[in-house]
Amino acid sequence: MAREYPLDRVRNIGIMAHIDAGKTTVSERILFYTHKSHKIGEVHDGETQLDWMEQERERGITITSAATTTVWKDHMINLIDTPGHVDFTVEVERSLRVLDGVIGLFCAVGGVEPQSETVWRQAEKYSVPRVAFVNKMDRPGADFYNVVGQIQKELGANAVPVTIPIGAEENFAGIIDLVDDVAVYYDETDQGMTWREEPIPAAMQAEVRKWKQNLLEKVSEVNDRLLEKFMHEEPIGDRELSAAIREATLKHLVCPVMCGSAFKNKGIQRLLDAVVSYLPSPIDLPPTLGLGPNGDAIERVPRDDGRLAALAFKVVADKHVGKLVYCRVYSGTLAAGSPVYNSTQEKDQRIGRLLRMHANRQEQVDALYSGEIGAVVGLSDTVTGDTICSRSAPIVLEAIEFPAPVLSIAVSITDRKDREKLAHGLNRLAEEDPTFIVTADPETEETVISGMGELHLEILVDRLRREFGVQVVTGPPQVAYRETITGRTEINEKYVKQTGGRGQYAHVVMRLEPLKAGEGFEFVNKVVSGRIPKEYIPAVERGVVDVMKKGAFAGFPVVDLRVTLLDGSYHDVDSSDIAFRTCAAHAFRKAFLKSNPQLLEPLMSVNVVTPEDSAGSIMGSLCNRRGLISGMDQQGNAKVIKAMVPLATMFGYATEVRNQSQGRANFTMHFEHYEAVPFAIVEEIIAAKKAREE
C-alpha cells in the first residue's frame, strides 16, 4: 500500500488553550467541515466525538488528548485535541513533543488566561510553530483587538491579524480576510457548511486598510523581498503575501491571528486554510536528533525509505484490543507484522496491527509512513517516551519530561477478592499516565496514588470503578510534606550489643548541616587511617538513608542536608554491616532532632480569574487558607487574583470558588516550591499523622 498523501501535504497539528476556550467545539467543526463526521457534536449535549470518555461527557471537559485524521484541500491533517485543565497538562506536554504545528485558541472575552500562558510556554519549549484563533466572537464582552494585544504583551508573540471580525457580540456577522481582501459570510441554514465572499463593506474600508497595512509592515520586517516591494510601494499579491506569512511563521517570527465563533459556525474554514497555508509539514522542520549506541549525536530526516525512528508518546488501555501505543514516525516506515527494536528498553518486539485513530474508533492500515501519527497493537513492553527503531540502525530519541505529582491519596478495597483487580487496574492506568504514581507503604499496608491534583485523582478513581470493576475507598488527601534542618550538629554514637556469642559493635562520629533548598542529600566520608574499614562506609550511608526515607521528626522524608562521616571505630570480631547501619540510623535520628528540625510544605501558585463583584470574597477566602496575595490584574472585564497558598489548605477549593462566584470564576494551581510550615501548625500535622497510623 503506497502513501496516500505526499509528505509535504501532511500536517500534524494540535489545539491548545485554557479550559473552556472552545477547543473541543472547534475540533468538532473541523471534523464536520472536512466531512469526517456528518453531525456536529456539542459539548453541552455530551455528544462530542473527541470527548468520548464517560467522565469527559459528564463534566463537559477534555481529560485525555484525542487524536483523529482528516483531509482538507488535499492535505492530510492529523489533529490532536488537548485538555485545558491544569491537572491534565501532561497530555499537552506529550502531544506537543510530537506535533509539527499548533493552534493556540483564545476566548474573545477571557483573552490570555493562566493556562493559555502555560501551554504557550510548552509550545515554545518544543519550538512548535503556532497560529492563533480568537474564538467566541459572539459572546458579550468579546474584544478581538484586546486579545491580540494580550498575546503580544503577555506571551511576547509577534501576533499579526490575518482576519478581522465584522462586528462583535450579537452583531458578529462574519470576517474580513486581509490576505484575499474579501468579506466572508457563513450560511446559518446549513450550519456554516457554505459561505460566500463579498466585497469589503464601505463602513469598514478604513479599518481594513489600517490592519492590511499592519499585516504588510509586520511581514515585511522579517522578509527582505517583501520589504523591498513595500518600500517602493509596489503591489504585493495574495499568493506572495501568503508565502511570506508561512515562511515567517515557520521561523517563529510572526504568529498569524484569526477570529471566529465555532459555536456559531463562523471562521473555521479559514482556520483550516491557515493550517494548510502557514503551519509546517514534516519536511519543513529540522532533522530529528537522537543518540547512537555510543552516545554520539545522530539525526533522522523524514523519508519513507529512511532508517526507522518512531517515538511512543502515549499508551492507552483499550478494552477491545488491549494495549495501544500511540507513535509518531519521524523517519522510515512502520509496517504491520514487522520486527522492530525498542532502543530505550533494549528489547526486540514485533508490530501487530497498525491503526489510524479517530478518538476511540479505529481504522486499520498496513503501514504508518514517515511524518504520520497512529497507534500500534503488540508493543507490550513499550511505555511512554520509548524509541522504536530497527536493530541494524539503533537510535534513542529525546524522551518526554513530565512534572512530578503533587497530591496523594490512599486507596483501599472493600472486598479482598478485588486485590488482583486493583493491582491490574492501577498498573494499566500508570502505564497510560506518567504523572500517575502508585506506591505501596509496607508499614501501613496502604496503596498510595499520587497525581497532579484533585480532579486528576478523582477521574482515575472513577475509571478504576467503571473500567476495571474495582470498588475502592479513598482516604483524605495527604500532602507530600518534607523535613529538613536549620542548624548544624555533631554526634558521637556507639552501638554495642552482646547477646552471647558474637556481639554487635559500631562507632560513628558524624556531622549534620543544612543545604540550600533543592540541593537534596549529600554524604561525605572524611574517615582517615582506616578508623572505619572501607567496606562498612556504604552501610553507614544506608543507615542514614533508611531514616531519611521515613523521617526523624514528623515521619516525612528528609531533604536538603549534608551528612559528613568524621570518625569512628570498629571491632575485629563484632563489627558488621548491620551493626554500622543500625548505629548510623540511631546517630542520624538523634543528631537530626538536635539540629533545629523544620517541617516543609508545598506552596502553590494560585491564579483565580473572577468577575469583579466576587473578587473581595475570593481574596478573603485565600487569606483564610494561609494564602499571601501577590497581585491583582485586570483581564477584560474580569479580575485576576494571584496568590501563594499552601497545598494543605487548598483541598475542596474548587467547590468553594464556584459557590462564591455563582460558577463564573475558575482557578489554576501550580507547584512553586517548599516552604517552612508555621510552628503553630506543625504539632497539628504530627498529631494527625499519628492518628492515621494508629
Side-chain angles (χ1 to χ4, degrees), residues 526-538:
K526 288 194 174 179
V527 175
V528 295
S529 305
R531 301 274 294 169
I532 299 177
K534 286 184 179 178
E535 60 265 28
Y536 294 143
I537 301 300

Side-chain angles (χ1 to χ4, degrees), residues 493 495 504 506 539 543 546 577-587 589:
E493 178 76 8
Y495 176 66
Q504 298 286 343
D546 287 344
D577 269 9
I578 191 67
F580 272 98
R581 188 168 180 172
T582 305
C583 182
H586 290 171
R589 188 174 283 108

Side-chain angles (χ1 to χ4, degrees), residues 335-524:
S338 61
V340 293
Y341 180 58
N342 183 328
S343 56
T344 310
Q345 308 282 349
E346 298 184 351
K347 290 184 178 179
D348 290 302
Q349 297 186 272
R350 181 171 291 275
I351 301 295
R353 289 188 288 154
L354 292 171
L355 306 170
R356 191 164 283 147
M357 300 302 296
H358 180 56
N360 63 332
R361 302 202 305 276
Q362 303 140 3
E363 171 196 346
Q364 191 162 331
V365 295
D366 295 329
L368 291 175
Y369 296 96
S370 181
E372 293 187 351
I373 292 173
V376 183
V377 180
L379 301 179
S380 56
D381 293 324
T382 297
V383 298
T384 301
D386 284 358
T387 300
I388 303 299
C389 57
S390 60
R391 181 172 270 284
S392 59
I395 184 174
V396 177
L397 301 175
E398 182 186 354
I400 309 169
E401 292 181 11
F402 296 112
V406 297
L407 185 65
S408 300
I409 61 173
V411 294
S412 57
I413 46 178
T414 56
D415 188 340
R416 284 192 163 192
K417 295 176 183 175
D418 285 344
R419 186 175 295 172
E420 285 189 15
K421 284 203 292 186
L422 175 64
H424 172 70
L426 290 173
N427 287 338
R428 294 290 288 272
L429 292 174
E431 268 191 343
E432 287 187 21
D433 187 347
T435 60
F436 176 55
I437 307 297
V438 182
T439 53
D441 190 323
E443 288 193 3
T444 62
E445 296 184 351
E446 276 187 333
T447 299
V448 178
I449 59 174
S450 305
M452 300 307 296
E454 281 183 281
L455 181 60
H456 185 205
L457 293 177
E458 180 189 320
I459 297 293
L460 289 166
V461 169
D462 193 39
R463 290 186 62 192
L464 273 176
R465 291 173 179 145
R466 295 192 193 194
E467 295 175 29
F468 300 97
V470 185
Q471 292 307 309
V472 294
V473 177
T474 59
Q478 296 177 31
V479 177
Y481 290 104
R482 298 288 184 264
E483 297 178 15
T484 191
I485 55 174
T486 57
R488 173 174 162 157
T489 302
E490 287 190 12
I491 190 162
N492 188 326
E493 178 76 8
K494 279 187 180 179
Y495 176 66
V496 182
K497 192 172 184 182
Q498 200 69 39
T499 55
R502 181 176 175 180
Q504 298 286 343
Y505 177 88
H507 173 211
V508 298
V509 180
M510 63 171 64
R511 181 173 63 231
L512 273 62
E513 54 193 320
L515 295 176
K516 291 180 181 176
E519 290 190 0
F521 167 61
E522 188 179 331
F523 182 81
V524 180

Side-chain angles (χ1 to χ4, degrees), residues 303-317:
R303 285 175 41 193
D304 294 345
D305 58 352
R307 295 173 172 179
L308 178 64
L311 183 71
F313 68 94
K314 182 173 179 175
V315 175
V316 173

Side-chain angles (χ1 to χ4, degrees), residues 608-615 618 637-641 661 664-666:
V608 186
V609 181
T610 176
E612 195 162 343
D613 55 2
S614 306
I618 285 174
N637 54 4
K639 291 283 186 184
V640 181
I641 301 167
S661 63
R664 294 182 295 160
N666 58 71

